[in-house]
Amino acid sequence: MTTPPALLIAGHGTRDDAGAEAFRDFVRQLGARHPELPVAGGFIELSPPPLGEAVTELVEQGVRRFAAVPLMLVSAGHAKGDIPAALAREKERHPGISYTYGRPLGPHPALLNVLERRLDEALGSAGRTPGDRADVTVLLVGRGSTDPDANAEVHKAARLLWEGRGYAGVETAFVSLAAPDVPSGLDRCVRLGARRIVVLPYFLFTGILPDRVRHQTEGWAAAHPEVEVLSADVVGPEPELLDLVWERYEEAVKGDLRMNCDSCVYRIALPGFEDKVGMPQQPHFHPDDDDHHHGHGPGHHHGAHSHAH
């Protein structure tokens, strides 16, 4: 039986010691969960250990093949450029190693469920119940990037969080590099009629930036006493996150890199759309097709769902 590839976790890095330790502890938890293979983790910048050191650690254990998973919610410059460049450099440093590269984590339904839990916790701490959602506007705050695709991923997560969960709305803001910033995002929520807002950081672990989100939220709330503003916690090292990293590892090992199937209503039971899972797909009959003899009844879903399920 061939030895399974090792698992290498690649993190952003943070100047926050507690955030860096949360990452290192998460890597240790993954290793304890999967004693059958070596697991190591390192950072691109700011905090130890560097990614190269984690690769060396694996090589010294006799590893020749590994799968690298970026512990990141969106695919921005780090996931698209820095990590692949670092891995290519390690391949030159350690002749004979080979690796596959997984994809970022979000917006996976398991993560959306954790975010929903964080919202419920924030409401509960203020004496609210999940049943109060109809007058709750959520401000999902992403890291922010100079890459528009990365910022768009935060909007996608916000939309998926809103769908079927009963919130009044889910708006987006960013804590760095992209507009709107947190105060502007809160202003926008109010212009849209919000009277109760929960600010939800779209971050995996504690750190400088999530702290900044909370401080900016508190500053804005102090200046707007007429609006109820609550702060929710980061995702954290939840079992769902451990499961998801393993899912990304297995995809990378099998070469099973998919389209947007994580949030596909025909594959995953999303809130309010559970009846669509496994539904047989019909082609959309274009009026110009020669054999167009069909009405658009319930059995014909507008737009064929073309990616392979």
Side-chain angles (χ1 to χ4, degrees), residues 36-69:
E36 74 280 9
L37 77 163
V39 177
F43 295 104
I44 288 297
E45 59 182 2
L46 301 176
S47 35
L51 197 61
E53 198 175 294
V55 173
T56 300
E57 178 189 328
L58 292 175
V59 170
E60 286 174 351
Q61 294 177 56
V63 168
R64 288 292 169 266
R65 296 185 307 136
F66 63 87
V69 175

Side-chain angles (χ1 to χ4, degrees), residues 14 17 25 53 68 76 81 89-90 108 113 130 134 136 151 169 215 217 229 288 294-295 300 309:
T14 173
D17 290 340
D25 187 59
E53 198 175 294
R89 185 183 63 213
E90 293 310 310
H108 191 282
N113 290 340
V136 170
N151 296 331
H215 292 149
T217 299
V229 185
D288 295 335
H294 304 273
H300 298 288
H309 285 335

Side-chain angles (χ1 to χ4, degrees), residues 66-150:
F66 63 87
V69 175
L71 199 71
M72 297 169 189
L73 287 167
V74 300
S75 188
H78 284 307
K80 290 178 178 178
D82 295 336
I83 298 172
L87 293 175
R89 185 183 63 213
E90 293 310 310
K91 200 169 188 306
E92 289 180 8
R93 284 183 182 167
H94 304 283
I97 67 169
S98 63
Y99 61 87
T100 54
Y101 185 39
R103 59 187 176 128
L105 305 175
H108 191 282
L111 286 175
L112 298 174
N113 290 340
V114 178
L115 293 174
E116 183 178 12
R117 197 154 71 234
R118 296 289 177 257
L119 290 169
D120 283 346
E121 289 164 359
L123 289 168
S125 69
R128 309 295 179 189
T129 68
D132 293 335
R133 287 180 180 182
D135 67 351
V136 170
T137 299
V138 178
L139 183 64
L140 184 71
V141 181
R143 176 178 292 267
S145 172
T146 54
D147 182 340
D149 179 45

Side-chain angles (χ1 to χ4, degrees), residues 11-261:
H12 270 288
T14 173
R15 290 186 180 86
D16 180 76
D17 290 340
E21 183 53 34
F23 171 90
R24 291 188 290 260
D25 187 59
F26 184 81
V27 172
R28 286 191 287 267
Q29 286 186 58
L30 266 171
R33 262 193 175 203
H34 298 284
E36 74 280 9
L37 77 163
V39 177
F43 295 104
I44 288 297
E45 59 182 2
L46 301 176
S47 35
L51 197 61
E53 198 175 294
V55 173
T56 300
E57 178 189 328
L58 292 175
V59 170
E60 286 174 351
Q61 294 177 56
V63 168
R64 288 292 169 266
R65 296 185 307 136
F66 63 87
V69 175
L71 199 71
M72 297 169 189
L73 287 167
V74 300
S75 188
H78 284 307
K80 290 178 178 178
D82 295 336
I83 298 172
L87 293 175
R89 185 183 63 213
E90 293 310 310
K91 200 169 188 306
E92 289 180 8
R93 284 183 182 167
H94 304 283
I97 67 169
S98 63
Y99 61 87
T100 54
Y101 185 39
R103 59 187 176 128
L105 305 175
H108 191 282
L111 286 175
L112 298 174
N113 290 340
V114 178
L115 293 174
E116 183 178 12
R117 197 154 71 234
R118 296 289 177 257
L119 290 169
D120 283 346
E121 289 164 359
L123 289 168
S125 69
R128 309 295 179 189
T129 68
D132 293 335
R133 287 180 180 182
D135 67 351
V136 170
T137 299
V138 178
L139 183 64
L140 184 71
V141 181
R143 176 178 292 267
S145 172
T146 54
D147 182 340
D149 179 45
N151 296 331
E153 284 292 306
V154 182
H155 279 263
K156 181 173 182 178
R159 179 71 197 195
L160 286 166
L161 186 63
W162 180 80
E163 291 271 2
R165 286 184 172 85
Y167 301 109
V170 181
E171 297 299 314
T172 49
F174 301 94
V175 75
S176 65
L177 299 174
D181 60 15
V182 174
S184 300
L186 287 162
D187 289 343
R188 174 179 166 81
C189 290
V190 171
R191 286 201 300 273
L192 290 169
R195 286 292 170 266
R196 177 176 298 151
I197 304 169
V198 183
V199 177
L200 176 62
Y202 194 46
F203 287 83
L204 293 175
F205 302 127
T206 55
I208 303 289
L209 294 180
D211 285 349
R212 189 181 299 166
V213 173
R214 188 173 285 264
H215 292 149
Q216 290 179 354
T217 299
E218 290 168 354
W220 187 94
H224 298 80
E226 73 283 3
V227 184
E228 183 181 1
V229 185
L230 304 171
S231 287
D233 285 332
V234 295
V235 170
E238 295 293 286
E240 290 95 335
L241 187 59
L242 288 156
D243 291 342
L244 177 52
V245 170
W246 186 251
E247 188 175 316
R248 291 290 184 255
Y249 164 80
E250 290 191 314
E251 284 178 6
V253 169
K254 294 172 186 170
D256 176 27
L257 297 181
R258 302 174 182 170
M259 293 176 59
N260 60 329
C261 299

